[in-house]
Amino acid sequence: MSKSQQVDSHWDVIVIGSGLGGLSAATRLSQSGLRVLVLEQHEFSGGYAHHFLRKVRGTKIVYDFDVALHQTGDLAPGRQMNRLLNSMGVLEQLKVNRFDIAYRTRGPAHDLQIPADADDYEALLCDSYPEHAGGVRDLFQALREIDAPGPDGGMSPTALATLNLSLQDFMDQHVRDERIQAIFATLWGYLGLLPSEASAFLYTRLWSSYHFGGCFYFQGGGQALADTFVNLIEANRGRVLLRTAVTGIGTHGGRICSVETKKRGTFHAPVVVSNASAPQTFHDLLDDPGLASADLERVDGLPIACSIHQAYVGIRGDAAKIGMPDRGAFFNHSYDWSDEAEGLATSDYSKQGWLTGNHNIADPGHPPPGRSILHAAVLARGDQWMDLDETEYREKKREIEEHLIDKLALAIPDIRERIEICEVGTPRTMMRYSWNPQGSIYGYASTPTSHSIHRPDARTSVPGLYLAGSWTFPSAGFTGTMLSGYRTAGLIFEDHEGSRPDPQRIRDPG
C-alpha cells in the first residue's frame, strides 16, 4: 500500500509484527468483527515465513527463496492444526503437498529414509535393529500415549511425565543404542538444543506433529500461508501495513492506548498484541517498563534460543538427478553429542551436523525451469556474531558460505560451477529482519525449565497488552506460533467476556 493512502488512526486492536503469531491472532480477531491493524517493519509479511526474490544478473531468471519452511505437520484431518486453520478459513485457500517420507537421516553408522507414518517408522527401526526391537516398541508406545488425550480430555499421564525431562532422559527410559537415539532425535535442530538440553515435552509434540499428523508443504511456501492470513484480515476490514516500523507502545493511566511508528505517526487502540520479542516489547517499545515489573523477571530470566547459518542457493540443473534426491536430509557428524556442543560453542563447523534440502521436491514447479533451489544450514550461537566489526563480519560470513557450499558439494561435486545465486543468512541477518535478540530463530530456548508453560504468558500485567509468537506459550515453529496467536485472540475475547474491546476511542493524552 502506498504511504500516501489514508489510514484510520483509531482501531480496536493493533498487532505489532506480521509473523505467524501476529497474523493468526489478527485473523481470528478480525473475523469476530474487530477492526485490526497489523504493523510490519519489513517489506514482506510473514516473519520467518516470508520469501525473498533474487534475479540472476543479466537475465530474466528470478529465484524465489523460502526463508524457513522445510515442512510443516499436523495438517492431517482431525489434527489440531488442521482444525485451527480450517476454523479460520485458511486451509481451504491453500494447496498442500503431502509426503510419505519425512526426511533422510545419516550418521557414522546409519543412513535411513524415515517414513512419515509412525507405524512404518517403528517397523523400519525394528527391522534395522532387531536386537533393540523391544525398546523401540516401548518408545513408540510411549509416543502414542503422549499424543493421545488423557481421560479428562487434557494431557495424558504419559505426557505430563515428560514435563520436566530432557529429550535425553526420555530416550534413555526406552532405548539406549546411540544409533537409534540419534535417529529418533534427528529433529533436535528444530528446537535448537541438543538432546541433553532440549525439553522432552516439546520434542515429543514436534515429533508427533509430523509422524502422527503428517508431513506437508504449502504450495507457494511460507509466503503463501502468510499472504492467506493477510487476505483474510483485509477481507474483514483490517489492514496490514508493511514498511511500518513501530518505535513505541503508549500508555495512559496505566493502560495501553497507542502505538508510535517511525514514519506513519501514531495509531490508537485499547488493545495491542506484540508479535515482537518479549525483551524488545517490554524494554524498548513500552513507554513505561515499570508498568510491567511483574513480567520482567520471567522475560529477562529465560535463556534465548540459538540462531542459524543458512545458505539459499539457486543452481542450473535438476538437483534430484545430479546428486540430491532428498527433500530434506539431516547429517550427524558423530554420535557423541559433546562434539556437537563444542562445535556450536566455538564455531567449529567441522564438529557440527548440518541440514540440506532440495526445494524442487518440496514444491515442484516453483523453481525457474531447468533450475533448482537448494538450502544448507548449520545452527549458530547468535552472540558470537553481534560484536564483530564489518571486516570481521564479512570474513566470518565468507567462511560459513564456503562451509555450507562444501556440504552441498558432497552431493553435487560441481555445484560451484552451477551456482547462479547464493545468499547466506547469519545471526545478524536474522536479527535485522526479525528484531529478535541475538538473531534467535526460536524465541526462548526450549529447555525443561523454559519451555511452553515457563514462558511469559500472553496476557501481560499491563492492561490491554498481549504477546503472541515464539516468546510466549506454547512454543516456536510454524505450528507453535500459529497456536500462540490463536490462543492470544481467545484471551482477548475472554477478558472482554466474548465482546469487542471497548470501542470508545482513546484520545492522545497529549
Side-chain angles (χ1 to χ4, degrees), residues 43-121:
E43 60 183 315
F44 298 104
S45 63
Y48 284 131
H50 88 271
H51 286 205
F52 66 91
L53 307 177
R54 290 294 182 269
K55 184 177 180 180
V56 179
R57 185 176 299 178
T59 75
K60 295 183 179 180
I61 299 167
V62 177
Y63 286 91
D64 181 358
F65 294 102
D66 192 326
V67 169
L69 181 61
H70 301 143
Q71 61 187 9
T72 192
D74 227 35
L75 295 181
R79 299 291 299 187
Q80 183 179 33
M81 186 52 56
N82 178 289
R83 294 195 302 269
L84 184 150
L85 292 180
N86 272 322
S87 73
M88 294 189 288
V90 173
L91 205 53
E92 67 191 41
Q93 300 191 36
L94 292 163
K95 295 181 179 180
V96 296
N97 300 326
R98 186 169 186 172
F99 309 107
D100 293 330
I101 297 297
Y103 42 86
R104 182 181 185 180
T105 175
R106 299 184 65 180
H110 79 269
D111 185 354
L112 296 174
Q113 297 279 358
I114 300 300
D117 180 79
D119 290 344
D120 293 341
Y121 188 175

Side-chain angles (χ1 to χ4, degrees), residues 3 14-18 37-44 240-249 258-267 276 280 284-285 432-435:
K3 291 182 182 179
I14 295 174
V15 177
I16 300 171
S18 70
L37 175 66
V38 181
L39 303 175
E40 169 58 50
Q41 59 96 15
H42 193 28
E43 60 183 315
F44 298 104
V240 178
L241 299 186
L242 305 177
R243 303 181 183 88
T244 306
V246 170
T247 57
I249 300 171
S258 62
V259 169
E260 187 72 28
T261 69
K262 187 175 182 180
K263 296 182 179 180
R264 288 183 179 270
T266 303
F267 294 96
Q280 182 188 29
D284 300 330
L285 297 180
R432 183 165 71 251
Y433 289 109
S434 71
W435 290 3

Side-chain angles (χ1 to χ4, degrees), residues 186-363:
T186 289
L187 298 175
W188 68 265
Y190 284 177
L191 290 186
L193 289 168
L194 292 165
S196 60
E197 303 170 319
S199 161
F201 179 77
L202 281 190
Y203 187 85
T204 54
R205 274 148 186 75
L206 168 71
W207 188 96
S208 296
S209 73
Y210 295 125
H211 294 293
F212 294 128
C215 288
F216 300 85
Y217 186 86
F218 298 106
Q219 291 185 21
Q223 193 67 65
L225 174 63
D227 290 347
T228 298
F229 278 121
V230 171
N231 292 338
L232 289 168
I233 293 164
E234 297 197 332
N236 286 284
R237 300 189 306 145
R239 300 301 293 268
V240 178
L241 299 186
L242 305 177
R243 303 181 183 88
T244 306
V246 170
T247 57
I249 300 171
T251 59
H252 181 60
R255 300 184 63 88
I256 293 298
C257 68
S258 62
V259 169
E260 187 72 28
T261 69
K262 187 175 182 180
K263 296 182 179 180
R264 288 183 179 270
T266 303
F267 294 96
H268 301 270
V271 172
V272 168
V273 177
S274 180
N275 194 194
S277 75
Q280 182 188 29
T281 298
F282 291 107
H283 291 295
D284 300 330
L285 297 180
L286 188 62
D287 63 357
D288 183 0
L291 293 172
S293 58
D295 303 277
L296 293 183
E297 181 177 357
R298 183 170 293 190
V299 166
D300 297 335
L302 296 175
I304 293 175
C306 69
S307 188
I308 199 168
H309 313 110
Q310 185 142 326
Y312 306 92
V313 183
I315 68 167
R316 294 185 302 275
D318 183 343
K321 295 179 179 178
I322 57 177
M324 285 192 66
D326 303 306
R327 179 172 50 86
F330 296 81
F331 297 82
N332 287 92
H333 170 72
S334 82
Y335 295 131
D336 185 347
W337 299 117
S338 64
D339 284 350
E340 185 82 35
E342 182 181 349
L344 185 60
T346 62
S347 292
D348 184 351
Y349 314 128
S350 68
K351 293 186 176 181
Q352 290 184 253
W354 66 96
L355 163 69
T356 63
N358 181 348
H359 188 82
N360 295 42
I361 301 173
D363 200 4

Side-chain angles (χ1 to χ4, degrees), residues 5 84 91 154 166 172 224 245 296 328 355 397 402 487:
Q5 287 182 273
L84 184 150
L91 205 53
S166 71
D172 286 345
L296 293 183
L355 163 69
K397 187 174 181 180
E402 288 302 309
R487 176 180 180 271

Side-chain angles (χ1 to χ4, degrees), residues 342-406:
E342 182 181 349
L344 185 60
T346 62
S347 292
D348 184 351
Y349 314 128
S350 68
K351 293 186 176 181
Q352 290 184 253
W354 66 96
L355 163 69
T356 63
N358 181 348
H359 188 82
N360 295 42
I361 301 173
D363 200 4
H366 184 79
R371 288 164 168 83
S372 299
I373 292 176
L374 311 178
H375 61 259
V378 177
L379 293 180
R381 273 186 48 176
D383 59 341
Q384 296 175 348
W385 287 79
M386 296 300 109
D387 297 324
L388 301 175
D389 63 35
E390 283 307 305
T391 299
E392 292 171 327
Y393 176 72
R394 287 193 297 270
E395 179 58 31
K396 193 166 185 175
K397 187 174 181 180
R398 278 194 295 269
E399 288 178 5
I400 192 60
E401 178 176 334
E402 288 302 309
H403 176 77
L404 293 174
I405 294 175
D406 282 345

